[in-house]
Amino acid sequence: MAAAAETSSDRTLRNAFGSVLSFFILLLIGVLAFSIRLFSVIKYESVIHEFDPYFNYRVTQFLTKNGIYDFWNWFDDRTWYPLGRVIGGTVYPGLTLTAGTLWRILNSLNIPLSVETVCVFTAPIFSAFASWATYLLTKEVKGAGAGLTAAVLLAMVPSYISRSVAGSYDNEAVAIFALIITFYLYIKTLNTGSLFYATLNAIAYFYMVCSWGGYTFIINLIPMHVLLCIVTGRYSSRLYIAYAPLVVLGTLLASLVPVVGFNAVLTSEHFASFLVFIIIHVVALVYYIKGILSAKMFKVAVTLVVSIGLVVCCAVIAVLIALVASSPTMGWSGRSLSLLDPTYASKYIPIIASVSEHQPPTWPSYFMDINVLAFLVPAGIIACFLPLSDASSFAILYIVTSVYFSGVMVRLMLVFAPAACIMSGIALSQAFDVFTRSIKFQLPGISGKSEFDAGDTSSSSVVAANDAAKPDKSEETLKERPSRKNKKKEKEQVEKASVEKASTKSKKEKRLLVLPLEASVIALLLLVFLGAFYVVHCVWAAAEAYSAPSIVLTSHSHDGLHVFDDFREAYAWLRHNTEVDDKVASWWDYGYQTTAMANRTVIVDNNTWNNTHIATVGTAMSSPEKAAWEIFNSLDVKYVLVVFGGLVGYPSDDINKFLWMVRIGGGVFPHIKEPDYLRDGQYRIDSQATPTMLNCLMYKLSYYRFVDVDGKGFDRVRQTEIGKKYIKLTHFEEVFTTHHWMVRIYKLKPPRNRIRGKTKKSKTKTSATSSSRKSVARKKNPWH
Amino acid sequence: MAKFLLYITLTISLLPFLAISFSPEIPTDRRVLVLLDDFAVKSSHSLFFDSLKSRGFELEFKLADDPNIGLQRYGQYLYDALVLFCPSVERFGGSINVASIADFVDSGHDLIIAADTNASDLIREISTESGVDFDENAAAMVIDHTGYAVSNTDGDHTLIASDDLIKSDVILGSKNIEAPVLFQGIGHSVNPANSLVLQVLAASPSSYSANPQSKLSSPPSLTGSAISLVSVIQARNNARIVVAGSLSMFSNRFFRSGVQKAGSSTKYQKSGNEEFLTELSKWVFHERGHLKALNVRHHKVGESDEPSMYRISDDLDYSVEIYEWSGTSWEPYVTNDVQLQFYMMSPYVLKTLSTDKKGLYSTSFKVPDVYGVFQFKVEYQRLGYTSLSLSKQIPVRPFRHNEYERFLPAAYPYYGASFSMMVGFFIFTVVHLYSK
Amino acid sequence: MARSTSKDAQALFQSLRSAYVATPSSLKIIDLYVCFAVFTAIIQVVYMAVVGSFPFNSFLSGVLSCVGTAVLAVCLRIQVNKENKEFKDLPPERAFADFVLCNLVLHLVIMNFLG
């Protein structure tokens, strides 16, 4: 009795201690997640990175200035001139609404942070939330220990850091948090069967739909899991409660978001959920009827239903297939199809294929992005099988599907990262458990207790006789679940061993359940080293690899740090030296930045929704000067912006992207043919380049006056001298070139006032005139 | 002190006149620089110059190689128009050259060029800059063996009488010019692809351009009606240029002489030169055919102020006022073919504007069902008139989320079903709670 | 063969009916509610097939409100059913409260989507 009382108070004390400790650990994990993403702010400045975040930033500015109704109905006439873009209906509002709300709350508390600051720091804040969500999710799957480990792994995993550094204000920053929370609520509903969590699950799913186009992953993964549970015979009414309200409420909520709208019921991406919805109803009905009928009657019912039902089913499926097959892409969107068939995009949609984020990843990038977790994931998968519960089967399905999709597109490594962290967390915590338990068993002075502990691990009746087993069993239920699972694992080891050994003496069993003390100590140390290696790699990746805001470039030279701020220089020039209504044409990469920073109307931007428009710009860039001038004039363009990296060695400039312009332009305008720009299949810009290449607008605008820099025109990126050195522009004039020649801006010349006659100008007469008059004549008549 | 006051008052009293002459409201030129080969031309062409002076022009006569001439000083143009009656000048004096003349035209000023048999390369170059090409053969003249003017002196048929005038009331006045025009000089050709140039006086189909002194060694390059005797060019900024291949057609002698075309029996007492060239000079100096458009206004039907953005399926009104300069004042321009385009890469709406005969053109239409950034475009280019190119950008947005139709009758069953669900839910909760 | 199946079918229906009668009345009320919802949904689908799907959002919201109500009622039935061993320690008041909350969310969304 006294022992029982002592153990119960011990128990509560240990519990209290454990929960306080885990609370502090979680707090620290949140701080870690936040601070590891601040490298870019420290090394550079608090600025928004890349291209897409600038668009989100501009939208957030509009939202904070004009309120939600104007934002919901916003028609943007400063992009995709002259088509305009209905922002309200084509943007995922989750991120901007979140940041806007945050800003409004902070401002109402009289903390006057600017919108830019809120936008820059939204991603780190939400990554802290995401790691807490991972803790919750893994706790549901395996237990609190695994949860803490998974949370700390997610806080630091480089793949997630790459898309959520301070300044990377993109959809994924918020979407990953929404993803994990949705999964957590689903698993929680599955485990408890409570409608309350089902409601919360639907709301979290709504938040996910608002945030990212990747929500289709959820709405396909969950039905897949439900199907898996049904097929493996794990159907229960909790499954029904978890799934059916989610489908109905989720579809409704998804249709509320304007971007998705009716796609929530009409596209093939959602059909899986409806199919499984029907299947789960059928299964539920079957179980219900099985419950109220006797066995014989049930068999009769089955035969009857099967014979009639099959006919009906086939008819319905035939109709459905006819409907779906009638559309050429079978109802899938282009991006989804390119996920399922990795070669689809390069054959049919060059725009999707040209985005660097959509390329398949290389093997080294796996190691770079998830590092040590790559080894722990298989161990975690095995741990999930012992024992298999609904939640752990979900985790296994999640990781298998995300591994496949991450192999198709680099961008989806991000979805793979949380799954890897969960699995690795489970594996690590299990391993730690085994080793610490081994050490605990074998330390002298605790051997008395260890008898009890060892006693209840075997489920044979020998132990049942041991009356010490009972309080231990109750004690066991209060301990963390991973330890119990661990014991089950040990039990299986024991059972295997006991096959060999006939003896069932408890002492012998006790010996076999643990690993030798030295081995476990060393193994523990090695695990700690593994963790340390992981931490070092993550911090290095965050600091060096993923913190660069691509708007500002740096290079280390012998006289210190050299900063290339050419982009902002060019946008500022545009902002201050052109009229408000002037239109700027450039390749679509720079559209968002131009509208956000230079505040000028652009022709195409990163949204890439209209392929023909982009192809028009691509054709203009690939055509000779006069044709290009005609095209740009018909679009009312005033300025053309070109990015050129040849002087400083910046590799992502327009000349390197030029072949994509040709391909995309050629996809719509057949007179642009890619082989015209290649010499023997090779892309060259030196003297061996084809005449079409040397005469196209992009070449001329990039290399105009380049030979004046060093006399030879040596392009540092392509590592050759350029082919055509002395370039004359007849329809464009250069208005601005940045400090390092990285951005060059040209203006379209207005049409000539008088059209000259055909007689050639005589040279002999003017030679008698003074040289000053000649130079005046040359300067004043630029069309010769 | 008194002198000082006098100067002050003089300048102040002169200021309004100076201001008027600079005013853009009056497009007619005032100060004309006439460059001559020698001052004999001043008297031999006095009828032409007098007609100009009688219409209020201030002519300043200078020799072409006078070292003091210049078109502008300190960035301000000194003259509004230039007349080049110096076909044989090799080099201009002062600061005038081909480039400065080209700039002069490009800044909106008018030009009359008269070449002749001994036209220098410089004059040819200026004409090429304007858009016409003189015959490359320096000694060639226009010869017409069937359309020449009957005369006692000329034997080689270089004095020709041409009545192939352009049919345009704007350029040549409403009165029909009966008598043919006498011409003796060089011909030029006009590029048919050049949309800015018009042939005003063309040679007859039987004419050709060759050296009258020597035998023809090869077929002449310019023949027939392709030879233009007098052409006009209206540049894109509405500056007007007249290029004539004969200086003598402006002379008093030709003005006063009678003309009889070979092969026709009618003998006219007076040639058509004076009438022709006077009317042409009126056109060149913007006394006719000069339009301006003012007060572009657009608004939604029923409102009066201009919105910054329209919505699809809005009804809107558009109005513009167009005036024509009559030589002394702005008169309303009356026509029925001004069209408005509502344009976004292609015209979605094309409407002819209706006029109220007082210069106001207006129309109203419904915004099409497409959203985007549109332009109100009025492109008016008629022969002889200045071109009007108006364009105003206006975005058109789609419906707001609360501008769609609500409470459609077709959807009543759905509304009914949803409300019945809510009612059913309420009843059910009551029943469920109290049915123990 | 056909005779035996029809006899079997009859026997089947008999046993089904007798088993169903044995269920408590509170569950029967829920079943009635579910049937009402499903019936309304079927009416709407037939109406749409006849008239066409013009205000598609109204159609969707109407149908989904019916289907949602049915599903939530079934969930409530599962939770309240005393024969269900998994939910024996779930107080029926809690189940009902969850049900009400979920329905509130459903109807709020329906109202939003209807117009």
Side-chain angles (χ1 to χ4, degrees):
Chain A
M1 274 304 280
E6 188 194 342
T7 46
S8 77
S9 66
D10 265 348
R11 198 192 320 144
T12 47
L13 188 67
R14 207 183 322 177
N15 257 352
F17 189 58
S19 45
V20 168
L21 197 62
S22 43
F23 175 72
F24 275 114
I25 292 177
L26 276 179
L27 207 62
L28 282 177
I29 289 176
V31 170
L32 168 72
F34 184 81
S35 30
I36 202 174
R37 286 162 170 80
L38 295 182
F39 276 105
S40 64
V41 173
I42 296 170
K43 286 172 76 168
Y44 300 89
E45 56 181 297
S46 164
V47 75
I48 299 198
H49 299 189
E50 298 272 324
F51 303 112
D52 278 357
Y54 272 100
F55 170 68
N56 293 324
Y57 171 55
R58 181 166 164 252
V59 175
T60 316
Q61 271 182 317
F62 186 85
L63 172 66
T64 52
K65 210 188 311 184
N66 299 33
I68 186 165
Y69 278 116
D70 275 343
F71 161 72
W72 205 254
N73 291 306
W74 188 17
F75 172 68
D76 191 8
D77 55 339
R78 293 185 76 80
T79 65
W80 294 93
Y81 182 83
L83 305 166
R85 179 181 172 188
V86 180
I87 299 270
T90 57
V91 84
Y92 281 100
L95 176 70
T96 45
L97 287 176
T98 310
T101 319
L102 215 57
W103 179 85
R104 169 109 355 121
I105 292 176
L106 285 173
N107 262 41
S108 66
L109 292 174
N110 282 326
I111 307 174
L113 288 180
S114 73
V115 178
E116 181 173 12
T117 317
V118 172
C119 291
V120 163
F121 287 104
T122 299
I125 292 176
F126 273 84
S127 62
F129 293 161
S131 46
W132 294 340
T134 315
Y135 162 72
L136 289 172
L137 175 58
T138 322
K139 189 163 93 137
E140 284 300 312
V141 176
K142 269 295 177 185
L148 288 174
T149 326
V152 80
L153 288 176
L154 185 82
M156 291 196 294
V157 64
S159 160
Y160 186 33
I161 289 183
S162 73
R163 305 289 306 195
S164 66
V165 277
S168 173
Y169 180 58
D170 207 355
N171 285 339
E172 288 92 352
V174 179
I176 296 294
F177 164 65
L179 181 84
I180 301 178
I181 274 277
T182 312
F183 284 154
Y184 159 65
L185 286 170
Y186 172 66
I187 298 292
K188 186 90 182 175
T189 319
L190 199 55
N191 281 343
T192 61
S194 152
L195 253 189
F196 173 65
Y197 282 110
T199 319
L200 285 183
N201 189 17
I203 294 177
Y205 174 66
F206 173 55
Y207 186 50
M208 179 70 192
V209 172
C210 282
S211 308
W212 197 29
Y215 74 91
T216 50
F217 180 64
I218 298 187
I219 202 63
N220 283 311
L221 183 63
I222 291 184
M224 231 194 286
H225 175 245
V226 169
L227 207 57
L228 182 72
C229 282
I230 293 177
V231 162
T232 55
R234 301 184 67 90
Y235 171 77
S236 65
S237 43
R238 283 174 293 121
L239 191 69
Y240 181 84
I241 294 180
Y243 183 64
L246 173 68
V247 167
V248 176
L249 266 180
T251 311
L252 261 180
L253 287 168
S255 332
L256 274 185
V257 180
V259 183
V260 177
F262 295 148
N263 285 348
V265 289
L266 292 178
T267 53
S268 298
E269 281 132 1
H270 293 87
F271 278 170
S273 56
F274 297 137
L275 191 66
V276 177
F277 186 64
I278 295 176
I279 290 179
I280 202 175
H281 274 97
V282 168
V283 170
L285 196 65
V286 164
Y287 270 91
Y288 172 66
I289 292 192
K290 194 179 199 179
I292 60 174
L293 283 182
S294 63
K296 185 184 70 137
M297 282 288 104
F298 183 64
K299 278 214 185 80
V300 170
V302 164
T303 48
L304 199 67
V305 163
V306 162
S307 52
I308 302 177
L310 254 177
V311 176
V312 172
C313 223
C314 290
V316 166
I317 289 182
V319 165
L320 209 66
I321 289 184
L323 259 178
V324 161
S326 62
S327 79
T329 56
M330 297 201 277
W332 294 89
S333 75
R335 289 198 187 188
S336 310
L337 269 176
S338 66
L339 275 182
L340 294 174
D341 172 15
T343 58
Y344 177 81
S346 51
K347 274 189 278 177
Y348 296 108
I349 317 176
I351 282 197
I352 293 184
S354 73
V355 180
S356 64
E357 294 173 326
H358 292 178
Q359 309 299 330
T362 55
W363 283 113
S365 67
Y366 273 99
F367 191 69
M368 167 73 170
D369 273 348
I370 55 170
N371 203 252
V372 161
L373 307 184
F375 309 128
L376 293 173
V377 162
I381 296 181
I382 294 179
C384 277
F385 273 107
L386 323 162
L388 189 67
S389 70
D390 290 337
S392 53
S393 69
F394 177 77
I396 294 170
L397 197 63
Y398 177 24
I399 194 149
V400 166
T401 47
S402 58
V403 162
Y404 172 69
F405 285 125
S406 71
V408 175
M409 240 195 226
V410 148
R411 195 175 182 183
L412 295 180
M413 288 277 295
L414 185 61
V415 175
F416 172 55
C421 290
I422 294 172
M423 284 300 169
S424 322
I426 293 173
L428 257 186
S429 108
Q430 298 282 55
F432 266 112
D433 258 343
V434 171
F435 297 133
T436 48
R437 197 144 290 284
S438 314
I439 293 176
K440 200 169 170 190
F441 279 167
Q442 297 186 13
L443 282 177
I446 322 180
S447 53
K449 251 201 198 148
S450 65
E451 264 182 44
F452 295 142
D453 292 338
D456 61 12
T457 52
S458 65
S459 56
S460 58
S461 50
V462 174
V463 181
N466 198 345
D467 60 354
K470 285 217 182 92
D472 283 330
K473 265 209 179 96
S474 55
E475 189 182 26
E476 201 186 84
T477 54
L478 292 169
K479 276 191 198 140
E480 300 153 8
R481 270 181 267 166
S483 53
R484 183 208 248 161
K485 300 264 173 25
N486 178 34
K487 284 183 185 125
K488 280 199 184 147
K489 191 163 89 173
E490 287 176 338
K491 178 184 72 177
E492 276 160 22
Q493 282 177 348
V494 163
E495 283 174 359
K496 278 189 203 148
S498 63
V499 166
E500 298 167 5
K501 295 202 175 172
S503 149
T504 52
K505 277 187 194 160
S506 56
K507 288 252 159 115
K508 272 212 176 134
E509 279 174 326
K510 178 182 73 185
R511 288 255 163 72
L512 283 165
L513 283 171
V514 301
L515 302 169
L517 178 68
E518 302 78 13
S520 46
V521 167
I522 292 176
L524 211 60
L525 279 176
L526 284 179
L527 273 186
V528 170
F529 279 144
L530 197 71
F533 181 67
Y534 174 71
V535 170
V536 165
H537 171 84
C538 292
V539 172
W540 171 84
E544 297 298 324
Y546 289 133
S547 286
S550 54
I551 191 125
V552 174
L553 307 163
T554 56
S555 77
H556 294 273
S557 56
H558 57 273
D559 48 347
L561 190 69
H562 206 73
V563 175
F564 298 88
D565 208 5
D566 285 40
F567 284 102
R568 292 197 287 182
E569 190 185 342
Y571 297 130
W573 185 92
L574 272 179
R575 195 185 193 116
H576 291 120
N577 290 296
T578 59
E579 303 289 319
V580 176
D581 269 340
D582 283 344
K583 284 96 185 147
V584 179
S586 66
W587 193 232
W588 58 262
D589 287 347
Y590 315 106
Y592 280 155
Q593 284 183 340
T594 312
T595 17
M597 282 198 272
N599 199 24
R600 292 289 171 265
T601 312
V602 291
I603 305 291
V604 288
D605 69 13
N606 307 57
N607 193 29
T608 64
W609 66 269
N610 190 331
N611 196 30
T612 313
H613 224 54
I614 298 182
T616 313
V617 174
T619 309
M621 294 293 191
S622 326
S623 312
E625 244 190 289
K626 184 161 163 60
W629 188 94
E630 298 285 329
I631 296 178
F632 281 139
N633 199 35
S634 73
L635 291 171
D636 298 330
V637 171
K638 208 62 178 309
Y639 294 93
V640 178
L641 187 146
V642 163
V643 170
F644 172 61
L647 185 66
V648 291
Y650 174 63
S652 339
D653 64 349
D654 280 354
I655 289 280
N656 270 356
K657 294 180 195 166
F658 180 61
L659 271 186
W660 284 111
M661 299 187 199
V662 171
R663 282 180 200 139
I664 293 174
V668 178
F669 298 98
H671 66 269
I672 304 280
K673 300 192 221 359
E674 192 182 340
D676 288 346
Y677 296 84
L678 304 171
R679 169 78 66 187
D680 302 330
Q682 261 200 337
Y683 178 56
R684 309 175 75 120
I685 47 102
D686 52 10
S687 48
Q688 291 295 315
T690 58
T692 331
M693 180 71 207
L694 292 175
N695 271 323
C696 71
L697 186 73
M698 178 54 69
Y699 186 91
K700 283 191 172 175
L701 294 187
S702 292
Y703 292 117
Y704 180 64
R705 284 193 315 115
F706 185 52
V707 71
D708 296 341
V709 172
D710 57 354
K712 288 186 290 149
F714 184 75
D715 183 341
R716 283 217 197 135
V717 178
R718 269 63 59 178
Q719 297 288 325
T720 67
E721 285 186 13
I722 59 178
K724 187 165 163 184
K725 300 200 187 192
Y726 298 96
I727 296 173
K728 280 206 197 120
L729 290 178
T730 55
H731 288 79
F732 293 84
E733 58 178 341
E734 182 185 8
V735 285
F736 186 67
T737 298
T738 56
H739 187 208
H740 300 101
W741 285 56
M742 277 172 60
V743 182
R744 311 193 66 182
I745 303 180
Y746 292 84
K747 187 173 175 169
L748 259 73
K749 281 198 188 142
R752 296 181 228 167
N753 195 28
R754 298 161 285 109
I755 301 181
R756 225 189 109 89
K758 289 204 216 146
T759 313
K760 297 265 179 287
K761 187 175 181 176
S762 62
K763 304 273 197 247
T764 52
K765 257 308 173 174
T766 51
S767 62
T769 59
S770 61
S771 59
S772 64
R773 202 181 287 174
K774 238 201 293 187
S775 60
V776 162
R778 223 185 272 138
K779 245 195 260 174
K780 289 244 167 100
N781 279 328
W783 293 294
H784 294 160
Chain B
M1 188 62 192
K3 255 195 185 174
F4 179 63
L5 273 173
L6 188 65
Y7 277 135
I8 296 281
T9 40
L10 259 175
T11 10
I12 291 179
S13 53
L14 278 175
L15 270 174
F17 295 105
L18 289 172
I20 287 176
S21 58
F22 277 64
S23 160
E25 275 301 302
I26 301 178
T28 318
D29 310 323
R30 287 280 142 240
R31 304 157 302 169
V32 184
L33 174 65
V34 184
L35 292 180
L36 312 164
D37 273 338
D38 64 73
F39 278 111
V41 175
K42 188 172 169 187
S43 46
S44 69
H45 291 60
S46 60
L47 279 176
F48 180 66
F49 294 131
D50 287 339
S51 76
L52 288 181
K53 280 191 206 150
S54 69
R55 295 207 306 271
F57 291 99
E58 298 156 18
L59 302 176
E60 210 173 300
F61 296 91
K62 290 268 166 65
L63 280 180
D65 42 15
D66 186 338
N68 293 328
I69 53 176
L71 284 172
Q72 56 171 332
R73 194 193 301 155
Y74 306 130
Q76 295 263 30
Y77 279 107
L78 301 165
Y79 305 101
D80 299 319
L82 180 62
V83 176
L84 293 175
F85 275 0
C86 44
S88 61
V89 64
E90 297 288 330
R91 216 180 91 166
F92 286 111
S95 61
I96 299 185
N97 55 11
V98 179
S100 69
I101 293 179
D103 282 343
F104 185 69
V105 170
D106 285 340
S107 53
H109 300 97
D110 308 314
L111 182 61
I112 298 182
I113 308 175
D116 213 333
T117 328
N118 48 355
S120 66
D121 278 342
L122 186 60
I123 293 290
R124 284 173 202 266
E125 181 58 29
I126 297 174
S127 314
T128 314
E129 279 293 324
S130 309
V132 303
D133 298 303
F134 279 106
D135 194 344
E136 282 168 3
N137 187 351
M141 289 178 74
V142 180
I143 302 173
D144 191 350
H145 293 298
T146 55
Y148 61 93
V150 173
S151 86
N152 308 326
T153 47
D154 196 36
D156 48 6
H157 301 158
T158 54
L159 176 68
I160 55 179
S162 169
D163 47 10
D164 193 357
L165 296 165
I166 192 174
K167 292 187 186 23
S168 165
D169 282 351
V170 184
I171 300 181
L172 294 179
S174 41
K175 196 153 146 292
N176 209 6
I177 299 177
E178 306 273 339
V181 177
L182 285 172
F183 181 92
Q184 187 172 33
I186 56 179
H188 53 266
S189 70
V190 157
N191 185 1
N194 190 338
S195 57
L196 304 172
V197 184
L198 294 166
Q199 273 185 341
V200 173
L201 184 71
S204 70
S206 56
S207 56
Y208 61 96
S209 171
N211 191 346
Q213 254 72 43
S214 63
K215 254 168 93 94
L216 278 177
S217 53
S218 56
S221 49
L222 286 178
T223 57
S225 305
I227 300 181
S228 180
L229 306 175
V230 178
S231 305
V232 298
I233 298 110
Q234 181 162 263
R236 282 187 229 260
N237 62 349
N238 297 324
R240 291 172 172 169
I241 308 175
V242 168
V243 178
S246 157
L247 182 56
S248 34
M249 77 187 288
F250 291 89
S251 63
N252 294 356
R253 188 165 59 92
F254 277 44
F255 275 21
R256 292 197 188 109
S257 94
V259 62
Q260 181 186 11
K261 196 164 169 181
S264 101
S265 51
T266 347
K267 189 170 171 27
Y268 295 91
Q269 283 301 108
K270 196 164 171 336
S271 68
N273 286 39
E274 181 167 12
E275 220 179 315
F276 170 64
L277 290 171
T278 314
E279 294 296 322
L280 195 60
S281 67
K282 281 191 194 158
W283 183 85
V284 163
F285 293 138
H286 288 272
E287 291 175 55
R288 241 196 333 251
H290 187 95
L291 301 173
K292 77 169 175 180
L294 296 175
N295 285 339
V296 172
R297 267 197 289 261
H298 60 91
H299 55 90
K300 270 203 253 202
V301 169
E303 295 174 20
S304 63
D305 45 349
E306 263 181 34
S308 61
M309 195 186 261
Y310 283 111
R311 203 203 61 200
I312 57 178
S313 313
D314 263 350
D315 292 307
L316 62 84
D317 285 335
Y318 176 88
S319 68
V320 65
E321 294 171 24
I322 305 182
Y323 294 102
E324 185 183 1
W325 178 248
S326 68
T328 45
S329 62
W330 291 102
E331 304 289 320
Y333 179 62
V334 179
T335 182
N336 59 354
D337 57 353
V338 183
Q339 285 187 320
L340 170 72
Q341 300 174 14
F342 198 53
Y343 180 89
M344 175 172 82
M345 295 199 292
S346 68
Y348 280 80
V349 174
L350 185 66
K351 291 207 87 134
T352 309
L353 298 175
S354 55
T355 176
D356 68 342
K357 305 272 189 287
K358 293 211 189 50
L360 179 72
Y361 289 83
S362 62
T363 185
S364 63
F365 58 90
K366 201 179 174 71
V367 175
D369 205 8
V370 179
Y371 59 81
V373 183
F374 282 87
Q375 290 176 347
F376 288 111
K377 256 188 148 137
V378 173
E379 298 275 339
Y380 189 73
Q381 274 125 13
R382 298 284 175 269
L383 192 76
Y385 285 101
T386 54
S387 56
L388 288 179
S389 192
L390 309 168
S391 146
K392 198 149 191 189
Q393 180 175 308
I394 188 95
V396 170
R397 65 171 173 82
F399 285 114
R400 282 176 78 98
H401 72 279
N402 54 1
E403 284 173 352
Y404 287 98
E405 302 170 318
R406 267 193 130 170
F407 307 126
L408 300 158
Y412 280 163
Y414 306 126
Y415 303 149
S418 318
F419 283 112
S420 77
M421 280 296 122
M422 294 201 338
V423 167
F425 164 64
F426 186 65
I427 295 176
F428 167 73
T429 53
V430 168
V431 167
H432 180 86
L433 281 176
Y434 292 111
S435 73
K436 285 295 171 339
Chain C
M1 188 62 189
R3 182 166 291 210
S4 69
T5 47
S6 69
K7 249 214 270 183
D8 284 339
Q10 278 185 352
L12 176 67
F13 284 134
Q14 290 286 5
S15 56
L16 269 177
R17 198 178 303 162
S18 59
Y20 188 65
V21 165
T23 56
S25 62
S26 58
L27 294 184
K28 278 203 193 131
I29 294 175
I30 300 183
D31 289 340
L32 190 66
Y33 183 50
V34 171
C35 289
F36 160 64
V38 172
F39 176 62
T40 322
I42 293 180
I43 292 183
Q44 286 183 74
V45 171
V46 168
Y47 176 76
M48 184 212 71
V50 167
V51 169
S53 67
F54 164 53
F56 193 61
N57 56 331
S58 314
F59 165 68
L60 259 191
S61 63
V63 168
L64 282 179
S65 80
C66 299
V67 172
T69 317
V71 163
L72 289 176
V74 170
C75 290
L76 179 68
R77 186 187 201 278
I78 290 174
Q79 287 184 329
V80 166
N81 196 354
K82 296 188 191 45
E83 292 165 18
N84 241 329
K85 288 174 224 35
E86 291 174 350
F87 290 104
K88 63 173 160 35
D89 39 346
L90 181 71
E93 288 78 20
R94 167 75 198 275
F96 186 69
D98 289 344
F99 170 72
V100 167
L101 175 71
C102 213
N103 261 312
L104 277 177
V105 171
L106 175 71
H107 284 112
L108 186 69
V109 175
I110 293 289
M111 278 299 109
N112 209 350
F113 198 50
L114 198 57

